Amino acid sequence: MWIDTHCHLDAPEFGPDALAERARARAAGVACCVLPAVQARDFAAVRALAHQTGDAYALGIHPLYVPQATDDDLCRLEQALADARDDPRLVAVGEIGLDFFVPELCTEPMRARQQHFYRAQLGLAQRFGLPVILHVRRSADALLAGLRAQAASGRPVSGGIAHAFSGSLQQAQAFVALGWRLGFGGAVTFDTARRLRELAVTLPLQALVLETDAPDIPPQWLYVTAAERAAGRPQGRNTPAELPRIGAEIARLRGLPPAALAAATWANACAALPRLGAMLGPAPGAAA
């Protein structure tokens, strides 16, 4: 059985298909999905969906939504975390972080605004005793600096997951040294993703968790090139049901049986997100 540590099942791309896709993933062996919110107006819907599907969720403001967010949204996040303090399905603050890939987010005012929201949400994670799910896109060093600054203030964050990690080996090792896990998904299935595939093999097994980021980051077998899309071929939709096949590819790269990788990444996800571990227990079939 598998855990998808990052799935946007509430995304508009799923619409009325969300429950059917979740059922299809469960039939494929995905026992649990973590559903991260991306903006304040989605907090209640994400929480309700996680309860409806029997999954877990996280609450946060994504860096791509920082341009339209306000400090009032941070107050709404604080209140939502307080309201869900005793909800066992709330497992993290996220998806939060920094994005230095999108050009309009790379201007100096917007970089500073992203940092403001990132640091504020780290503070909330520490206050509520929750780990963090991080958006990392050309921002690993800045994210690590924020985590170290939080620790230096005497209020360290209790770990979490660096989602869709694509940084260097040195950056990966820095996250691991702080006790974080790194999320691997569809991007690692591309033959051309040599550095990412090398990371998936080189890093200690206990550092890895699996994710789909559905409906984003489709694996190689669903990807449609720009030329193909221009010719009218639709982009294949990524879903949580793809996770076992993604996991099988990573297992092949590491020379492991898929069941062994499933059990290891289950344990890693539960260690990164302790409330998830309390909710799920050990992987089915794992030794007591």
Side-chain angles (χ1 to χ4, degrees), residues 126-138:
Q126 190 279 332
R127 175 182 162 189
F128 287 96
L130 290 168
V132 171
I133 296 175
L134 280 183
H135 175 91
V136 189
R137 194 153 62 158
R138 296 189 182 175

Side-chain angles (χ1 to χ4, degrees), residues 1-33:
M1 300 293 285
W2 305 86
I3 297 174
D4 185 347
T5 61
H6 204 106
C7 173
H8 296 286
L9 198 62
D10 64 310
E13 289 89 338
F14 288 117
D17 296 337
L19 297 182
E21 287 295 353
R22 183 63 190 94
R24 191 166 72 90
R26 185 168 281 110
V30 180
C32 185
C33 295

Side-chain angles (χ1 to χ4, degrees), residues 173-285:
Q173 290 170 333
F175 275 110
V176 172
L178 293 175
W180 285 62
R181 270 68 177 185
L182 308 179
F184 287 84
V188 81
T189 65
F190 288 79
D191 294 336
T192 54
R194 294 183 182 87
R195 185 175 72 173
L196 189 58
R197 288 161 76 88
E198 185 175 351
L199 277 178
V201 172
T202 303
L203 290 170
L205 182 57
Q206 61 265 31
L208 274 59
V209 296
L210 301 184
E211 59 178 52
T212 59
D213 198 26
D216 299 321
I217 315 185
Q220 186 169 30
W221 51 87
L222 292 178
Y223 181 70
V224 176
T225 67
E228 290 171 326
R229 291 195 297 272
R233 182 180 174 188
Q235 174 67 62
R237 185 174 70 177
N238 191 21
T239 76
E242 302 299 331
L243 190 74
R245 189 172 173 186
I246 292 169
E249 174 62 9
I250 296 174
R252 184 189 68 80
L253 291 171
R254 292 191 68 107
L256 291 172
L261 183 72
T265 54
W266 178 296
N268 297 343
C270 291
L273 308 174
R275 286 191 179 186
L276 187 68
M279 186 175 81
L280 297 179

Side-chain angles (χ1 to χ4, degrees), residues 69-138:
T70 67
D71 281 352
D72 184 59
D73 289 325
L74 290 171
C75 295
R76 292 171 67 185
L77 173 59
E78 181 178 11
Q79 187 60 55
L81 293 172
D83 291 344
R85 187 191 298 268
D86 297 323
D87 185 352
R89 297 188 185 278
L90 173 65
V91 297
V93 170
E95 179 180 357
I96 73 171
L98 300 168
D99 191 304
F100 297 151
F101 173 78
V102 177
E104 52 266 34
L105 295 180
C106 293
T107 64
E108 283 307 315
M110 197 52 66
R111 290 172 77 99
R113 187 168 178 77
Q114 286 193 70
Q115 287 279 10
H116 168 66
F117 275 81
Y118 173 50
R119 299 293 179 96
Q121 291 181 95
L122 287 183
L124 289 173
Q126 190 279 332
R127 175 182 162 189
F128 287 96
L130 290 168
V132 171
I133 296 175
L134 280 183
H135 175 91
V136 189
R137 194 153 62 158
R138 296 189 182 175

